[in-house]
Amino acid sequence: MSEQVIIFDTTLRDGEQALSASLTVKEKLKIAFALERLGVDIMEVGFPISSPGDFESVQTIAREIKNSRVCALSRALPKDIDTAAEALKVADAFRIHTFISTSTIHVESKLKRTFDDVLEMAVNAVKYARNFTDDVEFSCEDAGRTPIDNLCRMVEQAIKAGASTINIPDTVGYTYPSEFGGIIKTLFDRVPNIDQAVISVHCHDDLGMSVANSITAVENGARQIECTMNGIGERAGNCSLEEVAMILHTRQAKMGYKTNINPIEIARTSQLVSQICNMPIQSNKAIVGANAFSHSSGIHQDGVLKAQNTYEIITPESVGILTNKLNLTSRSGRHVIQHRMQELGYRDTDYDLEALYTSFLALADKKGQVFDYDLEALMFFNQIENQHEHYKLSSINVQSGTSVVATATVVMQIGENERVVEAATGNGPIDATYQCLMRISGLDIDMSSYKITSKGEGKDALGQVDIVAAYNGQKFHGIGLSTDIIESSAKALVHVMNHIHLAKAVEVKKKNLTQV
Ligand code: KIV
Ligand code: ZN
């Protein structure tokens, strides 16, 4: 019989806090639904005291998610815990996660306190959080560098105060597997009430050891792993969910551990997180990288053709990558698209068939054949594009070449009735198009990053442009998708303009409310 390891996902908290542009409530909810389908036991979805936006997204997710427990972070302070509980209380059951630093360097240099002060704050915070729920997790921040006697005292007192989960983070990704495993073992040997709590680990990847450290911790008694999809998170990121889940799954017979993760959902969830978070996945990344299942050497190819398991320890299908690719053309009807989406694992409620079909036909007219990856890219993009469209691109015409100054003419629909035409020159066709859009919007947008990636194979693949742009001190992420990279560039900036328009409308609403 295998023992259960709890998967605690922190993509929407530790992962999200490391992004250059924060996610909207809708984007976070989309990821939360995907994580729920993936089978995470607990999802930590924000730090409600940190901003009204975080509070709102924690509350929305807590209301919507039914099959995973929702958790929010708080420092070891009553006002943080009150705010977390307020955001979470719409859920049937929830977890409050409270933390304080325990390493000498953090206690003395960051908190300017003594270890005994911190111990008292931790105990008080756990007791206070227990007023709202029985499910309280306490984290000893920087546990990996905490003197072991102090760590044992802290863990014992936090359990005594009522914490049902104790988390041991390697906050700075400093420890190595036998060392980290040794810390967990010592806790089990020396803390008398350790059997009254689940021991969790939360490892960062600064030295590339987060997954190995987490697995070694499980071998030494930990039964919860904190991780993120694609390993996103502070600095070098967190322990990667798909890697630990597939290690425990693939080696279950030998290791004797299981999780509730449904491997078939991994590829789709990974793509969604990468897309929404604007965090590309390195092609050689284990499990979810584009090359994770491709064999280049002739000897390997020959082996795999004879028997797949000569060089493949897991199949792409087992993590939800479909290898049977169907070519769709403009003659394919709605039902074919719907059927293919079902085969790709999407429910009818996951996307708008009409919108997908319209963009599919437009693409099929341009490309001839449309592949699975195109369909998925269109689906993700439609979900993003259809959110709020105050500015709508009607047309772009560009003239450029080696011996002419690049010139663009853009026609745009603003709101219901306004139609604006603008022309500009620029340093290349994209710059000229952006000059037009900036003039039309009249917004002082500062572009901090521009990135273009191919979303499929071949020279007629869809090109996706991701930009991050700042306006009034806030950062916005814009995405554009088209077979024409000037059009996808324009769409990405229009997406940002629509974000800004919405943010301004929310500000005005808030002001009006406070004036009433
Ligand atoms: O890395 C860390 O220590 C954390 C804690 C808040 C758990 O993210
Ligand atoms: Zn962390």
Side-chain angles (χ1 to χ4, degrees):
M1 266 289 277
S2 294
E3 277 195 61
Q4 190 75 27
V5 174
I6 299 165
I7 296 295
F8 175 115
D9 176 89
T10 182
T11 304
L12 291 171
R13 198 280 296 169
D14 209 322
E16 204 262 354
Q17 81 193 30
L19 302 181
S20 51
S22 41
L23 304 181
T24 63
V25 177
K26 264 193 175 167
E27 288 169 333
K28 286 191 188 174
L29 191 59
K30 220 163 254 313
I31 294 178
F33 281 133
L35 293 170
E36 184 183 39
R37 279 178 73 181
L38 178 64
V40 307
D41 300 290
I42 298 154
M43 59 175 91
E44 181 172 57
V45 298
F47 189 4
I49 192 94
S50 68
S51 72
D54 236 43
F55 181 95
E56 191 193 342
S57 45
V58 170
Q59 190 174 49
T60 308
I61 295 170
R63 191 179 295 120
E64 298 291 333
I65 295 296
K66 302 291 171 213
N67 298 320
S68 307
R69 186 160 286 206
V70 177
C71 167
L73 187 67
S74 60
R75 288 167 299 181
L77 298 171
K79 67 175 185 329
D80 280 39
I81 296 170
D82 284 338
T83 313
E86 185 59 30
L88 288 166
K89 71 179 187 198
V90 290
D92 304 333
F94 58 85
R95 172 176 296 187
I96 294 179
H97 178 190
T98 184
F99 75 100
I100 197 161
S101 291
T102 54
S103 66
T104 309
I105 179 162
H106 276 216
V107 169
E108 290 177 0
S109 312
K110 185 179 89 168
L111 302 176
K112 312 253 181 249
R113 292 183 184 260
T114 65
F115 180 76
D116 283 348
D117 294 336
V118 165
L119 186 64
E120 192 183 331
M121 284 174 77
V123 167
N124 290 340
V126 171
K127 285 186 178 157
Y128 190 70
R130 281 296 301 261
N131 292 323
F132 303 99
T133 172
D134 290 346
D135 191 348
V136 174
E137 170 168 331
F138 173 72
S139 282
C140 312
E141 192 186 3
D142 205 16
R145 293 190 299 173
T146 299
I148 195 69
D149 290 345
N150 286 354
L151 192 63
C152 289
R153 267 180 79 202
M154 182 64 87
V155 170
E156 182 180 352
Q157 292 308 316
I159 296 174
K160 203 166 149 206
S164 47
T165 302
I166 298 289
N167 185 35
I168 307 298
D170 182 11
T171 303
V172 290
Y174 180 66
T175 63
Y176 52 88
S178 59
E179 182 185 22
F180 194 62
I183 293 173
I184 303 299
K185 183 175 180 323
T186 307
L187 291 174
F188 275 92
D189 289 344
R190 290 189 27 198
V191 174
N193 53 0
I194 194 106
D195 57 326
Q196 290 166 35
V198 171
I199 298 303
S200 166
V201 288
H202 174 116
C203 299
H204 279 268
D205 209 34
D206 299 67
L207 293 174
M209 291 191 288
S210 60
V211 170
N213 282 346
S214 304
I215 295 292
T216 313
V218 167
E219 291 179 307
N220 283 280
R223 287 294 175 268
Q224 175 176 290
I225 296 179
E226 301 198 357
C227 44
T228 58
M229 203 66 219
N230 302 336
I232 65 169
E234 282 290 341
R235 308 178 308 280
N238 286 63
C239 170
S240 133
L241 185 153
E242 64 279 8
E243 292 180 26
V244 281
M246 286 312 287
I247 291 168
L248 299 179
H249 180 77
T250 310
R251 305 304 312 275
Q252 186 177 348
K254 172 94 176 162
M255 298 175 77
Y257 305 109
K258 61 179 181 186
T259 72
N260 286 327
I261 295 299
N262 179 4
I264 211 107
E265 292 290 333
I266 285 179
R268 189 183 6 259
T269 315
S270 159
Q271 283 300 319
L272 182 82
V273 169
S274 163
Q275 179 93 6
I276 293 181
C277 296
N278 189 21
M279 292 283 274
I281 303 167
Q282 77 197 54
S283 50
N284 61 332
K285 163 90 179 57
I287 319 292
V288 292
N291 291 348
F293 298 96
S294 47
H295 305 276
S296 337
S297 120
I299 294 174
H300 289 206
Q301 286 172 350
D302 179 55
V304 169
L305 286 176
K306 287 174 177 149
Q308 205 170 359
N309 64 1
T310 48
Y311 287 101
E312 255 180 32
I313 55 162
I314 44 178
T315 63
E317 294 81 7
S318 67
V319 292
I321 299 169
L322 279 194
T323 43
N324 125 43
K325 290 182 178 152
L326 190 74
N327 296 354
L328 302 161
T329 68
S330 54
R331 288 182 301 283
S332 313
R334 268 179 197 71
H335 278 105
V336 175
I337 303 300
Q338 189 179 22
H339 181 70
R340 190 59 186 157
M341 290 300 281
Q342 277 164 6
E343 283 180 339
L344 290 169
Y346 296 99
R347 294 167 301 189
D348 294 352
T349 48
D350 288 342
Y351 64 96
D352 175 343
L353 179 61
E354 248 351 276
L356 180 62
Y357 191 63
T358 307
S359 39
F360 158 76
L361 283 181
L363 184 63
D365 277 345
K366 280 190 190 162
K367 273 186 78 172
Q369 291 179 326
V370 174
F371 299 95
D372 292 342
Y373 49 73
D374 294 320
L375 266 191
E376 288 192 303
L378 290 175
M379 182 201 72
F380 287 134
F381 185 68
N382 279 348
Q383 290 172 341
I384 291 156
E385 193 185 37
N386 292 333
Q387 283 177 7
H388 27 261
E389 284 199 293
H390 177 69
Y391 297 99
K392 262 193 212 144
L393 205 53
S394 303
S395 67
I396 315 170
N397 279 296
V398 179
Q399 203 193 2
S400 81
T402 48
S403 53
V404 287
V405 175
T407 313
T409 310
V410 172
V411 183
M412 177 163 261
Q413 178 79 30
I414 306 181
E416 292 290 297
N417 306 317
E418 204 181 340
R419 187 172 172 274
V420 184
V421 183
E422 187 67 65
T425 55
N427 183 14
I430 295 171
D431 186 42
T433 307
Y434 277 16
Q435 297 294 340
C436 295
L437 292 173
M438 297 283 197
R439 279 189 210 161
I440 291 174
S441 73
L443 299 166
D444 184 14
I445 301 173
D446 182 19
M447 190 88 62
S448 48
S449 88
Y450 171 97
K451 194 175 64 207
I452 182 154
T453 31
S454 159
K455 291 311 282 181
E457 294 159 18
K459 60 181 174 15
D460 61 350
L462 283 163
Q464 179 173 317
V465 170
D466 285 272
I467 60 173
V468 177
Y471 176 77
N472 248 353
Q474 203 181 336
K475 286 198 165 170
F476 298 90
H477 172 208
I479 307 181
L481 189 73
S482 170
T483 46
D484 178 329
I485 57 167
I486 298 175
E487 187 183 341
S488 37
S489 302
K491 281 180 168 175
L493 184 53
V494 173
H495 188 206
V496 164
M497 285 158 55
N498 279 319
H499 265 313
I500 296 174
H501 177 75
L502 190 75
K504 283 168 107 180
V506 171
E507 269 315 304
V508 171
K509 235 188 211 167
K510 269 191 204 152
K511 247 190 215 148
N512 291 345
L513 278 177
T514 47
Q515 276 165 5
V516 169

